[in-house]
Amino acid sequence: MSDASQPRVLALESSCDETAAAVVAGSTILSSVVSSQIEVHQPFGGVVPELASREHLAQVVPVVEAALERASISWVGELDAVAVTEGPGLVGALLVGVQVARGLASAAGLPVFGVHHLEGHVFSAGLGDDERPARALEPHVALVVSGGHTELVAVRGLGRYEILGATRDDAAGEAYDKVSKALGLGYPGGPVIDRFAAGGDPAAHAFPRAMLDGGLEFSFSGLKTAILVHLERQGEPDTRQGLADLCASFQAAVVDVLVSKACLALRRTAADRLHAVGGVAANRGLRAALAETARREMFTFEVPPLRYCGDNAAMIGAAAAARIAAGYSAGVEVHASRTLEESKVLRL
Ligand code: KG4
Ligand code: ZN
């Protein structure tokens, strides 16, 4: 066994449309490999579950081999444990990662740790440089914004998570993807809308900011409908500037709501630290708005480096390493939709 506080872990992530593997020592990343399936799903405008499983099967072995090789590990048995995302996600996709993790661990006589995908995202705020590792578990509010989730989570320590509010319908990333599809900009929508928004006027159109009523729940489906109605009435924008203005106005509505609710969650929990994690935390408009608000309202704000905002296995490995160091026992329970709160009580 290596340094008990820095267990060396091979981690796999296959919950959606990224096949990823990483080797970590604690929260230090020794390698991180991500194979994206974006091109496979692009013609369909969203993730097709059967295609995702098939693609994970094709990619998982080369991705694991590359992660081991880049970390200079010649045999899994040199490590302390294997970790894998056990849910939530597409069950067929999760099973690919889980079965490979189980197979490798059993061949090498290692334990396998199942990790909740959102606990992984929470740990992503501690990845990337030597200064960050301790920060992921400092008490904070995590704004988890991805294609499948929009949640405010009070993180009080390892395994101590309280969901303060979540979306009632679409996730923020899902809204980006649906609006992008309606605008003919393809999948995934976040990066392309983010790019157009940078050159547009956020005040060009007044789109709704839903549920700014003092609660911590979100709703993005009304905003998506407002864009669809706008397109029906006014037609598709016929200039590049018109498209940029529409993207900027949509993004401003999303960002306003996320910033306002994140601030409310900080006040409610008396926390002075906010982490934004998940694919949408890569958004330039959101990062800038949160950083500016943090300066004004004097709270500490962290986002992962861009490459660790989207799905990756390094965050899964870091979460597992923390659990191992804290004495959690091993085990995997595949699930499609268990919440972070439900997973916190498992296996301590
Ligand atoms: O965390 P992630 O990789 O996968 C899930 O767990 O869902 O998040 C993917 C989501 C997609 O909806 C994608 O459109 C969105 O993150 N996304 C962005 C940006 N980059 C990715 N949304 C807004 N701005 C971006 N720059
Ligand atoms: Zn994710």
Side-chain angles (χ1 to χ4, degrees):
M1 182 93 170
S2 50
D3 177 359
S5 67
Q6 303 284 302
R8 298 207 304 167
V9 181
L10 167 69
L12 281 80
E13 151 65 44
S14 67
S15 64
C16 190
D17 61 345
E18 259 96 29
T19 317
V23 179
V24 301
S27 43
T28 303
I29 302 163
L30 304 182
S31 67
S32 175
V33 179
V34 180
S35 165
S36 169
Q37 305 178 358
I38 282 176
E39 281 173 17
V40 174
H41 301 289
Q42 240 155 11
F44 305 95
V47 178
V48 182
E50 281 79 7
L51 292 182
S53 310
R54 203 186 302 166
E55 202 59 21
H56 284 306
L57 274 175
Q59 295 303 325
V60 67
V61 170
V63 164
V64 167
E65 280 175 351
L68 290 172
E69 194 187 320
R70 285 182 206 176
S72 305
I73 304 291
S74 48
W75 154 237
V76 184
E78 293 168 29
L79 301 169
D80 299 312
V82 179
V84 63
T85 305
E86 62 180 8
L90 305 168
V91 171
L94 288 164
L95 281 171
V96 176
V98 167
Q99 297 301 27
V100 171
R102 281 184 173 141
L104 287 168
S106 123
L110 295 179
V112 195
F113 287 80
V115 173
H116 193 282
H117 183 74
L118 297 191
E119 185 173 41
H121 276 300
V122 164
F123 271 83
S124 68
L127 297 173
D129 68 53
D130 293 344
E131 310 251 303
R132 286 169 167 261
R135 300 183 206 162
L137 279 180
E138 277 184 38
H140 69 274
V141 169
L143 172 65
V144 184
V145 270
S146 70
H149 299 271
T150 299
E151 287 178 15
L152 281 159
V153 182
V155 177
R156 302 206 163 87
L158 181 62
R160 296 176 57 214
Y161 312 116
E162 182 193 348
I163 299 168
L164 303 167
T167 183
R168 289 198 178 164
D169 40 54
D170 293 349
E174 197 178 349
Y176 269 95
D177 295 337
K178 287 178 175 170
V179 166
S180 176
K181 196 171 178 182
L183 291 170
L185 295 176
Y187 173 83
V192 60
I193 291 184
D194 195 6
R195 269 199 304 280
F196 274 108
D201 174 7
H205 309 280
F207 292 127
R209 274 84 169 142
M211 300 181 79
L212 290 182
D213 55 357
L216 291 172
E217 297 204 307
F218 300 86
S219 167
F220 289 106
S221 73
L223 173 58
K224 171 200 67 195
T225 307
I227 305 272
L228 295 179
V229 169
H230 173 91
L231 289 175
E232 230 171 80
R233 291 199 181 137
Q234 319 268 325
E236 303 250 330
D238 48 12
T239 63
R240 215 180 151 77
Q241 190 57 47
L243 181 58
D245 289 348
L246 196 61
C247 289
S249 301
F250 161 73
Q251 180 153 302
V254 175
V255 168
D256 277 0
V257 171
L258 294 176
V259 171
S260 150
K261 303 237 171 202
C263 288
L264 185 59
L266 287 171
R267 285 198 293 279
R268 291 261 168 93
T269 54
D272 61 359
R273 170 177 277 273
L274 177 75
H275 295 177
V277 298
V280 182
N283 186 271
R284 284 179 289 171
L286 178 63
R287 290 167 90 98
L290 286 173
E292 166 59 26
T293 310
R295 265 193 301 277
R296 207 177 50 242
E297 311 243 328
M298 308 224 293
F299 60 82
T300 307
F301 170 58
E302 293 276 350
V303 267
L306 285 179
R307 65 187 178 287
Y308 299 120
C309 287
D311 288 346
N312 65 86
M315 65 187 194
I316 303 300
R323 285 181 167 245
I324 295 165
Y328 279 67
S329 43
V332 178
E333 286 180 47
V334 177
H335 61 92
S337 60
R338 192 180 283 153
T339 70
L340 188 51
E341 274 179 354
E342 287 161 349
S343 80
K344 73 185 177 183
V345 289
L346 296 176
R347 296 193 293 273
L348 183 58

